[in-house]
Amino acid sequence: MSVLSFRDVSLRYPPRAGLRAANDDRFVLNGINLQVASHELIAIIGRSGSGKTSLLNLAAGFIAPTSGTIAVDDVPIQGPGADRAVVFQDDALYPWLNARDNVAFPLKLNGVSRAARHERAQQLLELVGLGDAGERHIWELSGGMRQRVGIARALAAEPRFLLLDEPLGALDALTRSRMQELLLRVQHRSGAGAVLITHSIDEALILASRVLVLSPHPGRLTAEIEAGFSAEVLAGTPTEKIKASPSFKRLHDALTSLIHSLPNEAAA
Amino acid sequence: MTLLTELRPVSRLAEAEAAERSSDNETPGAKPATGAAGTPKPIPIVVISTLTVAVILGLWSLASAHELVSPVFLPSPHQVVIATYNLIVTGFVDATLFEHVGASLYRIFGALIASILIGIPAGLAVGTSRIGRGILDPVVEFLRPLPPLAYLPLIIIWIGIGETSKITVIALAMLPSIILSTSAGVRSVSRDHVNAARSLGATPRQVLVQVVLPSAVPSILTGVRIALGAGWTTLVAAELVAATSGIGFMIQSAAQFLVTDVVIAGIVVIALIAILLEYVARLIERRLVPWASHR
């Protein structure tokens, strides 16, 4: 059982010459407090420009916070690490490797033998339903297949947390809803905690046990909503049915009006 | 918009295929030929090019047949073919054509290996480190615009007239493009690719070897191709100045005795080898980095 935590985290652009130092507008994120435990999947939603991706980049360790601490089990993170594997919106797979070698990439970094990493990669490909695509080139795969390879690659690192940066954002609606279910099952099975960045309220409600709303300028977490639908999805209830239920609609409407009431980026 | 993103992988493939086709056919946007229906097929570029070569050869034959120019200066194509045959069988200035070509190729590939061994690490240093860039930038920028023949005499004073000096000059001519293409390739690495590796547990060294270097390979290969071109030009020039074998030396000697047919045969051979090298380089590129056109 691990916990990824943000404590009073803020992030601002470095002061530019000619601008006065204490300018609140340049805070991308301010006063972020957040805890994510193993096994749980939380979603962070907000409009573009609200700092969602910055928040994920902080968690990944790609950028350092201006103030506050980000820690895994109370140990402050010192940059990127395999305990927090990222799945990118733009897949970020390596085109010079085939699908299987992409999945095996983290194992190769750890010096796992060729035979062992091929076997493990094959298992993971099967887990995401791509058991017979291992030899294929990345550019021969569809968008949905690429994201599944990306998820398998992240899992190969055996992370304690999966950081999902709109991984399904570029997919068509049909593929997307199928991928949501797959993502949820795979994450549940791996036991890793997950932070999902998304701009889709539907997706957040279906997948996450908690939905956090990020309001822009500066980015703050303004609301937190408990959603229990992911348990139903895992139990096998079709997502269409869940989305049609009154309780889902109620939460969906509440979140929609909440997000619309927030100042948008043009106002800032 | 959704439709466009859905189609992206497919259309990328289509683009690549179209680019492939356009290189030996007509423009990718051209209307498909409508077989029996009437509109005539556009003439393929290959045919036009072949015709051009045929016309040039024809004019050349006519000019030499009617002795518009003295045969001493312009031998007929037929004579050049005979000269080429003699070059292959008996040779010129103590070596057959293949021995001359072999000597030249030995120099160019020796220089290529040397410049790759030096150029790729140097390019990595320029592309990844501020200090490396600071140190090497002035050297590369000094070397790059210099015509190799300008420093050839100096190299001969320093190293002598043996193989080493020729290989050194050719390697110096090749170095800038390899260094610059390597550093450009290194700098063009996708940030997501680097970040992905870091988040999967890669050390900085692993990022360099497993991500940055493979990303730079297409650019490095382009650099090698340019370097081969530059090296080939320099080679022939270097052999004109100081050599006892090689295709450039052969032309130079032939010119001194006004054996014009050998001069022309030599020029044609030089051009053919350059085209062949370029073709092989492209082939290697397609084999080694098939993904480069799919990025």
Side-chain angles (χ1 to χ4, degrees):
Chain A
M1 181 77 182
S2 292
V3 177
L4 171 68
S5 60
F6 278 58
R7 239 167 274 130
D8 296 321
V9 170
S10 72
L11 176 71
R12 62 191 288 191
Y13 291 128
R16 259 174 298 172
L19 279 176
R20 225 166 300 161
N23 187 343
D24 243 19
D25 270 358
R26 281 182 295 116
F27 271 103
V28 185
L29 294 168
N30 203 359
I32 302 288
N33 283 290
L34 176 64
Q35 296 222 320
V36 191
S38 302
H39 299 285
E40 98 173 309
L41 190 159
I42 70 151
I44 292 168
I45 58 174
R47 298 187 186 187
S48 36
S50 59
K52 294 181 306 234
T53 296
S54 298
L55 196 144
L56 200 88
N57 285 342
L58 282 168
F62 297 148
I63 48 178
T66 310
S67 65
T69 33
I70 300 156
V72 173
D73 296 338
D74 294 322
V75 181
I77 63 167
Q78 306 288 341
D83 56 337
R84 287 155 285 128
V86 180
V87 178
F88 294 80
Q89 174 169 15
D90 230 2
D91 69 59
L93 298 174
Y94 300 121
W96 53 89
L97 302 176
N98 64 21
R100 199 215 300 111
D101 290 339
N102 262 286
V103 176
F105 185 80
L107 305 168
K108 191 177 179 188
L109 297 177
N110 283 338
V112 176
S113 78
R114 198 181 162 81
R117 60 178 195 254
H118 276 192
E119 195 187 328
R120 179 73 186 129
Q122 187 57 34
Q123 287 170 359
L124 287 164
L125 281 170
E126 274 159 24
L127 182 69
V128 297
L130 289 176
D132 51 3
E135 297 291 331
R136 289 174 66 183
H137 295 296
I138 294 309
W139 65 84
E140 296 171 330
L141 304 177
S142 69
M145 290 163 95
R146 287 185 197 202
Q147 284 304 1
R148 283 190 269 172
V149 175
I151 292 164
R153 180 176 71 175
L155 290 174
E158 295 188 8
R160 285 192 270 184
F161 295 94
L162 282 168
L163 305 177
L164 311 163
D165 186 6
E166 299 208 36
L168 313 180
L171 304 180
D172 62 280
L174 209 73
T175 313
R176 188 167 184 159
S177 80
R178 244 182 287 148
M179 284 289 295
Q180 288 169 351
E181 212 178 307
L182 178 113
L183 183 61
L184 189 61
R185 287 191 193 287
V186 166
Q187 179 265 336
H188 184 75
R189 223 176 114 166
S190 74
V195 179
L196 171 72
I197 300 290
T198 180
H199 57 250
S200 157
I201 297 172
D202 267 15
E203 186 165 293
L205 283 174
I206 284 287
L207 296 181
S209 53
R210 286 186 287 147
V211 179
L212 288 83
V213 179
L214 198 61
S215 76
H217 297 290
R220 288 173 195 277
L221 291 171
T222 46
E224 178 173 334
I225 287 173
E226 301 276 336
F229 305 106
S230 56
E232 290 179 47
V233 177
L234 287 170
T237 316
T239 50
E240 290 74 23
K241 202 175 157 193
I242 298 172
K243 285 181 192 171
S245 71
S247 55
F248 185 90
K249 279 185 173 161
R250 207 164 43 241
L251 274 180
H252 190 281
D253 290 348
L255 270 172
T256 309
S257 55
L258 176 63
I259 289 171
H260 278 278
S261 72
L262 297 174
N264 66 31
E265 54 185 324
Chain B
M1 275 320 280
T2 23
L3 231 134
L4 275 178
T5 43
E6 270 173 33
L7 280 174
R8 207 177 57 185
V10 179
S11 65
R12 271 203 205 149
L13 266 178
E15 269 167 36
E17 274 166 21
E20 201 92 278
R21 261 181 276 121
S22 71
S23 63
D24 48 30
N25 216 322
E26 72 283 319
T27 47
K31 283 171 269 170
T34 45
T39 45
K41 264 191 195 172
I43 309 166
I45 285 179
V46 185
V47 174
I48 300 173
S49 303
T50 314
L51 278 175
T52 310
V53 175
V55 168
I56 291 172
L57 283 174
L59 289 175
W60 176 13
S61 300
L62 275 176
S64 57
H66 294 274
E67 300 206 1
L68 294 178
V69 185
S70 159
V72 176
F73 301 127
L74 188 72
S76 68
H78 180 67
Q79 258 178 288
V80 172
V81 172
I82 292 172
T84 312
Y85 175 79
N86 287 335
L87 275 176
I88 293 170
V89 179
T90 57
F92 190 78
V93 281
D94 301 332
T96 64
L97 180 64
F98 291 119
E99 282 163 350
H100 284 303
V101 169
S104 294
L105 288 179
Y106 166 76
R107 289 169 192 146
I108 200 139
F109 282 107
L112 184 66
I113 290 166
S115 60
I116 285 176
L117 288 181
I118 300 168
I120 290 180
L124 280 178
V126 174
T128 55
S129 124
R130 235 167 39 86
I131 295 168
R133 187 164 193 192
I135 293 173
L136 288 169
D137 244 9
V139 179
V140 173
E141 288 307 317
F142 176 77
L143 203 56
R144 196 170 57 95
L146 276 184
L149 288 189
Y151 48 77
L152 174 63
L154 183 65
I155 302 286
I156 290 176
I157 293 172
W158 284 352
I159 313 183
I161 55 166
E163 289 302 310
T164 323
S165 68
K166 279 182 266 307
I167 291 179
T168 307
V169 171
I170 299 162
L172 284 174
M174 288 175 157
L175 257 181
S177 64
I178 291 183
I179 294 177
L180 291 176
S181 66
T182 305
S183 73
V186 164
R187 275 199 295 267
S188 73
V189 60
S190 131
R191 200 167 52 162
D192 273 0
H193 278 165
V194 171
N195 275 344
R198 294 167 73 208
S199 98
L200 295 168
T203 61
R205 196 191 154 78
Q206 284 176 320
V207 170
L208 185 68
V209 175
Q210 308 281 351
V211 180
V212 175
L213 208 52
S215 293
V217 169
S219 177
I220 293 174
L221 286 179
T222 306
V224 166
R225 242 170 61 198
I226 296 168
L228 266 177
W232 194 237
T233 325
T234 310
L235 165 89
V236 173
E239 286 176 349
L240 293 179
V241 178
T244 52
S245 67
I247 195 84
F249 165 73
M250 187 189 87
I251 293 176
Q252 173 72 0
S253 317
Q256 278 167 354
F257 299 111
L258 267 184
V259 193
T260 324
D261 45 5
V262 170
V263 173
I264 294 177
I267 290 170
V268 172
V269 168
I270 287 172
L272 288 180
I273 292 175
I275 292 170
L276 193 72
L277 285 179
E278 172 77 12
Y279 177 75
V280 171
R282 274 170 199 258
L283 211 67
I284 291 173
E285 206 169 295
R286 221 172 293 176
R287 266 294 156 81
L288 219 58
V289 286
W291 51 271
S293 54
H294 298 281
R295 282 213 272 202

